[in-house]
């Protein structure tokens, strides 16, 4: 089977000792010494990432995302704490053992870092040559990887002749060369246009599903998290301030920072002019899961003596599960509107009265 040799060659003693956790981070701290004093990049972070999971880390520039992800393969040496990758404690390894362990940790970058003087095939082969694989096996693996990332016809092309999306595909192929268990993505789509970003995320999702590779992805875009991640952590000032399954974080954000990020995907601010022209009660209704496909609002309008006017609405599919949010005006007697809202509260996930006509 093509590529199977890489799994053997890249084996590190002790892999798989700690059950289903692919990545376990304990009390991770990263400090930087500057002329102005010590700056904390990562501040006592603890997290467990399961095998086969796509784990997103979202935050603004300076939040500590890049410092955290670069500590996972010890490109940055932690100031304190422990990092386990598939049961192997990286911080206790010798230099030789760390080189072997890194074969199982692929990484792709925002700016690609391809060697301009080498062809696409040579860029991918570089990682295999560094791991001392025979030429014949290298050629077979390069061909396999080019097919996987959709660049089979670009083997002899140089990076300057590629688009940004094609360059990132080369970067992904290079990161997968040694059959890693973990793929680290450092702002992998930030330099790409929206259409290309979607194609790269689709490729990463395919890689995750077909190869079972655990992916850790950092970004400042919640749209990226929505598209591909299973769980997400929101990072601020070196800390994980909120963490959980992507759907639950979207449906029930706890921190103001998280709510701000989600608002970039689920934007529901009504213009003041619209609100001023509404005479009735304005409510925001959230539908979660299967309820989003039910006729809750039509049932409510039929059962109670109220009129409904839709002002805004959207259904997003997160991990193929619908999350619907609608804003509407309810007109009728105060008692009928109150009964209608009570009914909605029983049938839906959440009802918020934005403005009470009373």
């Amino acid at each position: 089977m093509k590529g199977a040799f890489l799994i053997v060659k890249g084996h590190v003693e002790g892999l798989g000792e700690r059950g289903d956790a692919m990545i376990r981070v304990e009390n991770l701290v990263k400090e930087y010494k500057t002329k102005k004093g010590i700056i904390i990049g990562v501040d006592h972070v603890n997290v467990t990432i399961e095998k086969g999971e796509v784990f997103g880390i979202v935050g603004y520039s300076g939040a500590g995302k890049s410092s955290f992800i670069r500590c996972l393969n010890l490109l940055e040496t932690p100031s304190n704490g422990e990092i386990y990758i598939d049961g192997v404690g990286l911080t206790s390894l010798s230099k030789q053992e760390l080189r072997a362990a890194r074969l199982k940790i692929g990484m792709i970058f925002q700016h690609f870092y391809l060697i301009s003087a080498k062809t696409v095939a040579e860029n991918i082969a570089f990682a295999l040559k560094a791991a001392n694989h025979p030429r014949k096996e290298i050629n077979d693996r390069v061909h396999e990887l080019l097919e996987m990332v959709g660049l089979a016809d670009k083997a002899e092309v140089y990076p300057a002749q590629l688009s940004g999306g094609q360059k990132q595909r080369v970067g992904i192929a290079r990161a997968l060369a040694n059959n890693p268990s973990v793929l680290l993505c450092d702002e992998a789509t930030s330099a790409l246009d929206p259409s290309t970003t979607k194609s790269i995320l689709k490729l990463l999702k395919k890689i995750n599903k077909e190869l079972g590779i655990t992916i850790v992805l950092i970004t400042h875009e919640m749209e990226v998290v929505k598209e591909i991640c299973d769980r997400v952590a929101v990072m601020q000032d070196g800390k994980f301030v909120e963490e959980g399954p992507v759907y639950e974080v979207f449906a029930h954000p706890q921190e103001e920072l998280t709510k701000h990020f989600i608002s970039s995907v689920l934007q529901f601010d009504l213009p003041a002019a619209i609100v001023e022209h509404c005479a009735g009660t304005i409510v925001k209704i959230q539908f979660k899961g299967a309820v989003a496909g039910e006729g809750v609002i039509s049932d409510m309008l039929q059962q109670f003596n109220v009129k409904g006017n839709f002002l805004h609405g959207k259904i997003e599919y997160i991990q193929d599960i619908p999350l619907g949010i609608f804003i509407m005006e309810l007109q009728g007697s105060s008692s009928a509107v109150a009964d209608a809202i009570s009914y909605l509260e029983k049938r839906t996930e959440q009802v918020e009265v934005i403005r009470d006509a009373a």
Side-chain angles (χ1 to χ4, degrees), residues 285 287 291-301 343-344 347-348:
I285 311 159
F287 299 88
V291 178
E294 298 176 359
V296 175
I297 292 176
S298 62
D299 290 346
M300 177 268 294
L301 294 174
Y343 174 82
L344 290 173
R347 290 285 305 274
T348 68

Side-chain angles (χ1 to χ4, degrees), residues 109-114 163-165 167-169 171 174 188 191-192:
F109 305 89
Q110 176 182 355
H111 298 297
F112 320 129
Y113 297 120
L114 303 180
S163 67
K167 289 177 183 177
Q168 193 57 284
R169 287 173 183 267
R174 180 183 57 190
L192 306 175

Side-chain angles (χ1 to χ4, degrees), residues 18 27 33 36 47 49 56 93 113 119 133 138 227 230 244 250 276 329 331 340 346:
R18 294 180 181 268
N27 201 36
K33 294 181 180 179
K36 295 183 179 181
V47 67
I49 301 171
L93 297 180
Y113 297 120
T119 66
H133 294 299
I138 289 175
E227 287 293 323
D230 300 308
F250 265 84
E276 289 172 3
E329 176 191 16
Q331 294 181 341
K346 293 175 182 176

Side-chain angles (χ1 to χ4, degrees), residues 6-19:
L6 295 170
I7 298 174
V8 177
K9 291 277 189 177
H11 177 73
V12 178
E13 286 296 323
L15 290 184
E17 292 173 1
R18 294 180 181 268

